[in-house]
Amino acid sequence: MSAVSIRPARAADAEAIAEVHAASWRDVYQDTMPADYLRDRALADLTRHWREAELRADEVILVATIGDEVVGFIAIYRRPEHGPTPYLDNLHVRPSNRSGGLGGRLLIEAANQLRRLGENTLYLWLVDGNDAAQRFYERLGGLPTERSSKEVFGVPLKTLKIEWDDLGPIIRGATAASQ
């Protein structure tokens, strides 16, 4: 098997990112999101989203590849609508590539890039019930702080906010876990 590479996302990656994103949702959210949405609309919505996404140099949007195939990605935004703290919007790995430390590697690289951009904090909204992801983030120092309800592509979801006031635990924890 080829080695995994991590690089900045490019506009040409939009369809591949959407495919990984949809495959991950179908696997992880099968008990949380409507089956007909995951089956019939998720890929189209995500493809449109990623085609229209603005890839800005002051943000961290990375893809993990094996050869030419995108197998995972992370997207962290630094925009006024998300407040002063960088917002981790997505971290997804193709289901067949999970449990090998790839999510941790993406998160380490993203945290290091955020530090180079002068950032040391991070937050995300996790779909409530995604217990494996919650445990992953908590092992890396993330603290659950509040619950809310949000709509994602018209689908109502219960969510849990996870926050870091220091990126150090992410970098140390994910590095240790991947060794």
Side-chain angles (χ1 to χ4, degrees):
M1 174 149 85
S2 299
V4 173
S5 298
I6 296 175
R7 63 168 172 78
R10 302 184 285 250
D13 296 320
E15 284 80 11
I17 291 171
E19 288 173 12
V20 169
H21 203 161
S24 179
W25 274 15
R26 286 184 191 120
D27 182 55
V28 173
Y29 299 141
Q30 58 186 306
D31 296 327
T32 310
M33 297 180 86
D36 62 331
Y37 175 78
L38 292 172
R39 181 186 61 243
D40 301 334
R41 293 192 353 246
L43 181 58
D45 284 347
L46 292 167
T47 300
R48 186 173 40 261
H49 168 78
W50 286 107
R51 281 183 184 154
E52 295 171 359
E54 180 184 2
L55 304 178
R56 296 174 14 178
D58 66 334
E59 296 178 326
V60 180
I61 304 174
L62 306 172
V63 295
T65 61
I66 296 176
D68 293 332
E69 180 185 11
V70 173
V71 295
F73 73 98
I74 189 168
I76 300 175
Y77 300 110
R78 301 169 68 222
R79 298 180 183 184
E81 63 264 30
H82 299 300
T85 301
Y87 170 57
L88 195 167
D89 187 35
N90 291 288
L91 172 56
H92 293 280
V93 174
R94 186 177 300 283
S96 60
N97 296 97
R98 282 200 197 117
S99 301
L102 186 52
R105 286 184 59 194
L106 281 162
L107 195 53
I108 290 168
E109 181 58 31
N112 281 317
Q113 287 194 23
L114 283 173
R115 278 206 165 153
R116 286 192 288 276
L117 291 167
E119 302 287 359
N120 197 41
T121 59
L122 184 65
Y123 79 97
L124 62 89
W125 285 99
L126 177 71
V127 174
D128 212 356
N130 187 348
D131 297 336
Q134 184 177 345
R135 285 189 303 272
F136 171 74
Y137 293 125
E138 287 178 353
R139 275 194 312 271
L140 299 175
L143 299 174
T145 58
E146 69 181 273
R147 293 185 188 282
S148 186
S149 295
K150 302 197 175 299
E151 269 198 21
V152 177
F153 296 111
V155 176
L157 297 169
K158 294 186 183 309
T159 57
L160 175 65
K161 189 175 189 181
I162 307 279
E163 297 183 82
W164 289 265
D165 61 5
D166 177 14
L167 296 175
I170 291 174
I171 295 166
R172 289 188 301 276
T175 300
S178 66
Q179 293 177 349

